[in-house]
Amino acid sequence: MATSTVVMPSDLRDTLRQMLAVLQQERHALAGLDLDMIMGCASNKADLCGTLADVDHALVDEECRGLLEAARRQNEANRKVRNLIAANVSARLDALSGSAPLYRPNAQVHRLRTA
């Protein structure tokens, strides 16, 4: 998607707005479990991250900081949704196979008693 280098504050703002739009698309794709769209969003995010990789910190003004914080929050929310979906799939697969999960957070630890 984005392949140009960010050299102006306005370019940085545009790139960050694009990132927010992609994160919003990802949110909708996750809600609809649309794998093709999720993969497309992942590719677009990677492209935009490549564009943002070499940004001079001097270009980050107050508006850019706000856009960055909004993108961080949206990305974190999307990450939590992805993790919930993965946990749900794992639980369903375990239930279908009749096997115990390999990893259980908060599982009780049973220790052998010594005589």
Side-chain angles (χ1 to χ4, degrees):
M1 183 174 179
T3 57
S4 63
T5 304
V6 176
V7 293
M8 303 278 298
S10 61
D11 294 336
L12 177 57
R13 284 190 288 276
D14 289 342
T15 303
L16 290 170
R17 286 186 187 106
Q18 289 174 8
M19 179 65 83
L20 281 168
V22 170
L23 289 166
Q24 186 68 18
Q25 287 176 336
E26 182 183 46
R27 178 178 169 220
H28 291 296
L30 289 166
L33 297 176
D34 184 342
L35 185 59
D36 290 334
M37 186 178 270
I38 292 169
M39 295 306 296
C41 289
S43 176
N44 290 343
K45 287 192 312 182
D47 290 346
L48 288 168
C49 284
T51 301
L52 293 170
D54 297 325
V55 170
D56 182 6
H57 291 282
L59 294 176
V60 180
D61 60 12
E62 197 60 35
E63 183 180 357
C64 290
R65 277 193 267 298
L67 291 167
L68 282 166
E69 185 57 34
R72 279 190 193 108
R73 282 192 312 267
Q74 184 66 52
N75 191 55
E76 180 64 15
N78 290 356
R79 183 192 65 77
K80 288 178 181 179
V81 171
R82 283 190 304 271
N83 287 347
L84 286 171
I85 291 169
N88 188 29
V89 169
S90 181
R92 287 177 187 243
L93 291 174
D94 289 340
L96 283 172
S97 67
S99 65
L102 296 175
Y103 170 74
R104 292 186 311 192
N106 305 326
Q108 288 185 336
V109 176
H110 298 282
R111 292 187 172 82
L112 296 174
R113 293 183 190 176
T114 56

